[in-house]
Amino acid sequence: MDPLSLLREFNINKQVDAIKIEGDDVNFGGRYVFKKSAYTAFKGQRDYYTIEAVYYVLQTRGLSQPEYLKAAAAAKLGTVAFVDRRKLLDFLDGKTELQLDASQAVPPVAEAADADAQPAAKRARIDDSAAASVSSIFDRYEMQLRDRNSMLVAPNKDFKRVLDIASKACFQLSALIKQKDAQAAKAKEVAAKQKEHAEKKEHAPRPAVVAAKPSGRFERDTTTDALKAMGGAGAAALASAINMYGAAGADAPQPPASDKPAPAPAPPPSQPKPSAPQPHHKPHHGRDAHKPSSSQRPPSQPSSQPGKPGSGTPGKDAKPKGGVPIIIVPSGMTAMITMYNARTFLEEGRFEPSAVVQARGVQKETSATITRTIGKPPGSKGVPYQITDKAPPAGSPDWARVVAVIVQGAKWQFKDWPHTGASSGNLVEAFNKVMGVFVHYADEKVPATVADWNVRRLGLAREKRHMDSTALLDFYRMLDQFLMTTKSTLTY
């Protein structure tokens, strides 16, 4: 009989007190005796539980799980898991049924059919000689079916293909290693040769530098520009001749021979000899703004106008140069560039939101003059520009100096402009004569209205302020290209 079922029977019949622990045995009221280490038919989460462990669970059912574990450890008994303990108590109380594996339970050492028929003191025991004879019978007839070597044997299996694949892989790996070693050696050899060649080239004697003979083209271009600025048919013809034959006239065709003697050369005028033309000159302002300087006069003749010797007044065809360019910025605070931050951005290349500048208490200007130094030679004084948020009145000569406008994105910004169609929203002519620029954050989408206009787009970084100078350089580069295309006579 299974000891677990017997323990359940005693518990239901309120006979648990009749169960006694006697040495290594568990005596069920003198009817059955089991070893304490005998396993029951209930398998827990890890293994089968012994009758001693199950009986101790029944004795300590009033303790909590931590107290039970502590008491079992003190008694040096096996413990039952919390989940299994609950199941065992419900089974022993007759509340539930368990699926027991009776084949796994170890039978008791001696079992009496009835306490009245045979007392516990006279229970049957297995004789040692009988146990020895049973063991000898087992040893005689038992046969080992599998051993370590038989487990490794695979009958009717051929592993030649596996060995071939392994051999091929080893061969390919060896060849790859040799190839890489050869490539490394070759690369090392090439590097050594390049280093040797560089050292020889560094220590080799350098040939002497021979100065090239100037072609005179730059001087011819400068001279012809000065002649064209003077105006007049004679100056234009002389400029064409210089372009074709050079300033010295060495390659010019010689006039045909004549029988008449050449007239004597006229005496030179008393005025000082003109100096050689300079490639660059600064623009003049004031009363003498349109008078060519001595550096602008051609070296072959004195400064004069055809038909009026000695006069320094330019002809009718000459266009006056100079003037301060005007850049118009939006007046609305929603624009990226306003009069609050236009000076710092267009002059210093540093963008600061208008709201931040206004919060510092900076007063807004209606017009200001800045100095452009970006894109100019180092040490130069720069070029003045005028910035304003008010367009010149209609018919004002200042419109000839308006070169760029910062676009806000609305058509009403151009309602007072004098260009054809500007009042009705047609800005084709306006953007052909004035360069439009839409300043925005680079990560923002350009509005559809601005995308349809002929304007340049200038994207600013939202956080990287060191990129503002690059954006300003792009702005002036686009403006220079636009003014060169429109052949502007302003100083920009």
Side-chain angles (χ1 to χ4, degrees), residues 45-353:
Q45 294 181 346
R46 292 170 295 182
D47 201 354
Y48 292 93
Y49 292 115
T50 63
I51 184 60
E52 182 184 23
V54 176
Y55 178 63
Y56 191 74
V57 168
L58 190 60
Q59 285 182 316
T60 58
R61 64 183 306 165
L63 301 178
S64 63
Q65 182 68 12
E67 294 174 348
Y68 158 72
L69 295 176
K70 187 181 295 185
K76 298 182 180 182
L77 300 176
T79 59
V80 177
F82 177 75
V83 178
D84 297 336
R85 185 186 179 203
R86 185 73 265 169
K87 292 180 180 180
L88 279 173
L89 290 175
D90 291 342
F91 173 73
L92 295 175
D93 292 341
K95 297 179 181 179
T96 59
E97 296 291 337
L98 296 177
Q99 186 176 359
L100 303 177
D101 188 3
S103 62
Q104 298 297 332
V106 177
V109 175
E111 181 177 316
D114 192 354
D116 298 333
Q118 183 179 0
K122 297 180 179 180
R123 60 183 177 273
R125 295 182 180 275
I126 300 177
D127 187 69
D128 294 339
S129 61
S133 94
V134 172
S135 177
S136 63
I137 294 174
F138 285 161
D139 293 340
R140 185 185 307 170
Y141 293 102
E142 77 174 345
M143 179 177 60
Q144 187 175 5
L145 299 178
R146 306 294 296 271
D147 59 1
R148 176 179 177 277
N149 293 329
S150 62
M151 291 292 292
L152 298 176
V153 174
N156 301 325
K157 295 293 183 180
D158 186 8
F159 292 96
K160 184 177 182 302
R161 179 171 176 80
V162 178
L163 295 175
D164 293 342
I165 294 175
S167 301
K168 186 176 180 181
C170 292
F171 176 77
Q172 291 178 350
L173 181 60
S174 177
L176 182 61
I177 293 174
K178 291 181 180 179
Q179 182 180 1
K180 289 190 182 239
D181 292 342
Q183 291 177 354
K186 186 176 181 180
K188 188 175 181 180
E189 182 180 357
V190 171
K193 289 184 178 179
Q194 290 179 351
K195 184 178 180 180
E196 182 181 359
H197 179 70
E199 291 177 354
K200 289 182 179 179
K201 187 175 180 181
E202 183 178 357
H203 294 86
R206 298 182 180 180
V209 179
V210 181
K213 182 180 180 181
S215 63
R217 179 178 179 181
F218 180 77
E219 289 77 3
R220 291 199 301 271
D221 293 343
T222 308
T223 305
T224 53
D225 290 342
L227 290 174
K228 289 180 181 179
M230 293 174 59
L238 184 57
S240 300
I242 291 176
N243 278 335
M244 184 176 300
Y245 301 112
D251 299 330
Q254 301 296 330
S258 175
D259 296 338
K260 296 180 180 181
S270 59
Q271 59 184 354
K273 184 178 180 181
S275 60
Q278 300 296 326
H280 298 285
H281 61 276
K282 297 182 179 180
H284 298 274
H285 302 283
R287 296 176 54 189
D288 299 333
H290 305 305
K291 293 182 180 181
S293 61
S294 60
S295 62
Q296 294 177 311
R297 297 168 186 169
S300 57
Q301 64 179 21
S303 173
S304 64
Q305 182 182 1
K308 295 182 180 180
S311 65
T313 307
K316 296 182 180 180
D317 296 336
K319 294 183 179 180
K321 291 187 177 181
V324 178
I326 298 176
I327 300 176
I328 300 178
V329 300
S331 58
M333 289 296 294
T334 58
M336 292 277 290
I337 303 297
T338 64
M339 288 302 296
Y340 281 105
N341 58 359
R343 177 186 292 276
T344 57
F345 178 70
L346 297 176
E347 188 176 44
E348 303 175 12
R350 177 172 53 87
F351 173 75
E352 191 174 9

